[in-house]
Amino acid sequence: MNQRRSNPKIVDIINHSFYADRLKAVNNKYNPIVARPPYSECVIGMSCVEDGAVRFTKGGTRQNTANAEAVINIVDQYSKDEEATFSIGIITPYTGQVSLLKARFIERAYSLDFQDRVKIGTVHTFQGSECDVIIFDMVDCLKFEKGKNVYPGKIYAGEQGEQLLNVAISRARHKLIVVCDPEYLVTPPGGKLSEKSISIFNTLLKARWTKM
C-alpha cells in the first residue's frame, strides 16, 4: 500500500475514498515545480471556469471550449520557462475534448522541446503513466449549449466514474491542477454519481490552493 509516485497532498485526495486511508505516501521530496506559477507554492490548484458550456460532437462525445481555453492558458505559462525539463500531462474524460485541446495546442506553435514534454489524452490513455504536472480538465459543468437539461456524462457514473477520478488524480507526481466549474462540484446534477465520486469532489473543493 505504499504510493511512491505522488506528493502526499495528492495521495490524500484519493486515500480516504478509495483506500480506506491505508495508502502511505512514500514520495516526500519537495520538488521545485511546486514553487513555480501558476499556483505558486501550491501542490493542488483549481482553475475555476464559470462561463463554460458543454456541447455534443457528431460522435456523441463532449467538448467545453471555455475549459479548453483555461487549460491552454495554464500551458502558456509553463511554456515560458525555456530551461524547464518537467513533464506535463493534460487529462480529460472525453475524446472530443482531447481533439479540441490538441487543436488549440498546435495553434500555439510551441517549441519542439516543449511539445515533447506535453502529453494530451483521455484518462484511459494515461493508465500506467505519470507526469510531474497533471492538468485534469473535467469538461462537465452546470450548463449545456442549446438549452438542454444538464446531466453528467456516463463516464462519470458508478464504478467507472470512480476509477476515472482515481486514475486521473493519481497520475500526478508533484502538482495537480483541476480545471472545472466549482459549482458543478458542489451540486452535480442528475444523481448518477457515486458517493465515492462525490466525496472526491468535496475533497477537491477543500484542497484547492493547498500549500506545502
Side-chain angles (χ1 to χ4, degrees):
M1 298 304 291
N2 289 337
Q3 212 274 23
R4 304 180 185 277
R5 178 188 300 119
S6 305
N7 182 289
K9 292 188 180 298
I10 296 171
V11 175
D12 284 346
I13 299 176
I14 59 176
N15 198 5
H16 179 70
S17 296
F18 297 127
Y19 300 99
D21 297 317
R22 291 177 295 169
L23 274 185
K24 181 180 179 181
V26 179
N27 180 10
N28 290 306
K29 293 182 179 179
Y30 177 84
N31 190 283
I33 197 171
V34 174
R36 300 172 188 246
Y39 311 107
S40 301
E41 295 298 341
C42 294
V43 175
I44 303 159
M46 183 178 291
S47 177
C48 301
V49 182
E50 298 177 345
D51 58 347
V54 172
R55 74 179 186 88
F56 293 92
T57 67
K58 291 181 179 179
T61 183
R62 299 186 180 202
Q63 293 181 334
N64 186 324
T65 301
N67 273 37
E69 293 301 327
V71 170
I72 296 301
N73 286 339
I74 295 168
V75 174
D76 281 344
Q77 295 183 59
Y78 281 125
S79 70
K80 295 175 183 177
D81 190 345
E82 297 181 356
E83 297 181 359
T85 59
F86 55 83
S87 58
I88 301 172
I90 303 172
I91 301 180
T92 185
Y94 302 106
T95 56
Q97 191 73 353
V98 169
S99 298
L100 180 59
L101 287 166
K102 286 183 175 180
R104 294 288 193 273
F105 186 81
I106 292 171
E107 288 172 358
R108 288 297 201 276
Y110 296 117
S111 69
L112 292 178
D113 175 70
F114 184 71
Q115 291 181 44
D116 288 341
R117 293 193 286 112
V118 179
K119 177 182 177 181
I120 305 173
T122 62
V123 178
H124 297 91
T125 63
F126 270 86
Q127 285 191 332
S129 301
E130 56 187 45
C131 290
D132 297 314
V133 177
I134 286 293
I135 303 171
F136 178 33
D137 178 1
M138 295 188 66
V139 181
D140 282 8
C141 64
L142 287 180
K143 182 180 179 182
F144 277 2
E145 290 185 358
K146 299 182 179 179
K148 295 182 179 180
N149 293 329
V150 179
Y151 58 90
K154 292 180 180 179
I155 199 165
Y156 277 114
E159 292 184 3
Q160 179 178 243
E162 295 171 4
Q163 183 182 17
L164 177 150
L165 292 171
N166 190 359
V167 171
I169 292 167
S170 62
R171 298 308 93 191
R173 288 195 193 107
H174 308 296
K175 196 159 189 167
L176 172 69
I177 301 174
V178 181
V179 178
C180 67
D181 175 359
E183 290 301 315
Y184 180 86
L185 299 187
V186 174
T187 55
K192 295 183 179 180
L193 303 185
S194 73
E195 291 184 4
K196 288 183 180 179
S197 294
I198 292 174
S199 174
I200 292 296
F201 284 5
N202 291 334
T203 304
L204 286 172
L205 285 167
K206 295 175 183 177
R208 60 178 169 173
W209 319 123
T210 298
K211 295 186 177 182
M212 284 290 292

